[in-house]
Amino acid sequence: MRFSLLDRSRTRTGHPEAAALQHTVERAVAADRLGYHRFWVAEHHGVPGIASGAPAVLLAAVGARTATIRLGSGGVMLPNHQPLVVAEQFLVLAGLHPGRVDLGVGRSLGFTPPVRRALRRTDGEPDAFAHDVAELRAYLEREAEVTARPVAEGPVPLFVLATGRGADVAAGLGLPLVLGGPVLDRPELGDVLAGYRRGFRPHRGSRPHVTVSLDVLVADTDDEARERALPEVWAMVRSRRTGVFGALEPVAEIRGGGWDDLDARRVEQGLAAVTAGRPATVRRRLEQLAERTGADELLASGATYDRAALASSDAALAALLA
């Protein structure tokens, strides 16, 4: 199994929002040194807690500071873009960083109605995701009516991000599947993966490939790892009350703020969903996940306020998986 990182450019209280982008680049430099296979970045719009709304731009900066690690998107939200423009952006990246660029695409329309309106998306539009993915691949493979430039010397691998339903799109187009979110803990997970593998239609010799994406944090003890996971979990808990997914906060401030019973229950549920613990704990959980899914790759997406603690977690995970 190969191991990669997904960084969402999380903002942090007490830091300018743009600092999150530099933090992402610095994390990528460390991931390159630690031997991770890929480093992917995200696309989110109008979210106070996430600074990355333009994966291709951010990946250009990451590529300029790294040497061998693959660069990718987890992912470009294809309904927000014209397939030709996405192809051109990633072909430019491939020209700048040959043999290192991946393109992961998803179908999210934005978190809130104002964001969807700003993106010119409306509820009830027909779902054109499968058609758009096929069109995008045609541009990347020079099979479309228009030639996307610059023409790449090698292929730009295309991945489909899904929380369940997109697995059928990946299977029908013969593309790798990146699966994450609540579906990983649901009873239907086995059926989703079996359906993907059973329905897979090879394209140019492709074979089924499953990447599982989940939050992973490693520390010396299970309790310490849970504390590292708390800022991300707390941001999600707060968002359920306020409708705003905000910046990461220090653990001490979160613990000192006081929770009601509902918040406490939601925090515990959130922490239970994170693969957080000492190395032996994390190894056991990842082995169990690999056995349940037959995954080919792990995409770890953990985040915390303390950047030194996050760097320590990335190093411990790399050592654990070496």
Side-chain angles (χ1 to χ4, degrees), residues 35-106:
Y36 281 96
H37 182 52
R38 309 182 201 272
F39 189 89
W40 282 13
V41 302
E43 175 188 331
H44 293 277
H45 300 284
V47 181
I50 298 177
S52 174
V57 177
L58 184 53
L59 288 172
V62 170
R65 291 280 304 277
T66 55
T68 61
I69 196 168
R70 296 193 63 86
L71 320 169
S73 55
V76 170
M77 295 300 116
L78 201 49
N80 301 334
H81 309 278
Q82 298 298 328
L84 174 61
V85 175
V86 176
E88 290 172 336
Q89 290 173 345
F90 277 76
L91 288 170
V92 167
L93 283 171
L96 293 171
H97 309 293
R100 295 175 58 198
V101 175
D102 304 319
L103 173 50
V105 295

Side-chain angles (χ1 to χ4, degrees), residues 82-88 91 134-152:
Q82 298 298 328
L84 174 61
V85 175
V86 176
E88 290 172 336
L91 288 170
E135 182 181 344
L136 173 59
R137 182 169 65 185
Y139 291 127
L140 294 174
E141 297 181 350
R142 284 182 282 169
E143 293 183 344
E145 182 181 14
V146 175
T147 300
R149 301 186 184 278
V151 173

Side-chain angles (χ1 to χ4, degrees), residues 115-173:
V115 169
R116 292 194 289 274
R117 287 194 295 270
L119 292 168
R120 305 296 190 267
R121 310 303 304 177
T122 59
D123 294 335
E125 289 185 50
D127 185 353
F129 183 64
H131 177 273
D132 287 348
V133 175
E135 182 181 344
L136 173 59
R137 182 169 65 185
Y139 291 127
L140 294 174
E141 297 181 350
R142 284 182 282 169
E143 293 183 344
E145 182 181 14
V146 175
T147 300
R149 301 186 184 278
V151 173
E153 295 183 6
V156 175
L158 188 58
F159 297 75
V160 174
L161 280 66
T163 56
R165 190 159 54 102
D168 292 338
V169 175
L173 294 173

Side-chain angles (χ1 to χ4, degrees), residues 199-214:
F200 192 88
R201 298 174 61 184
H203 175 78
R204 294 189 172 184
S206 65
R207 302 176 62 183
H209 183 283
V210 174
T211 298
V212 290
S213 177
L214 71 164

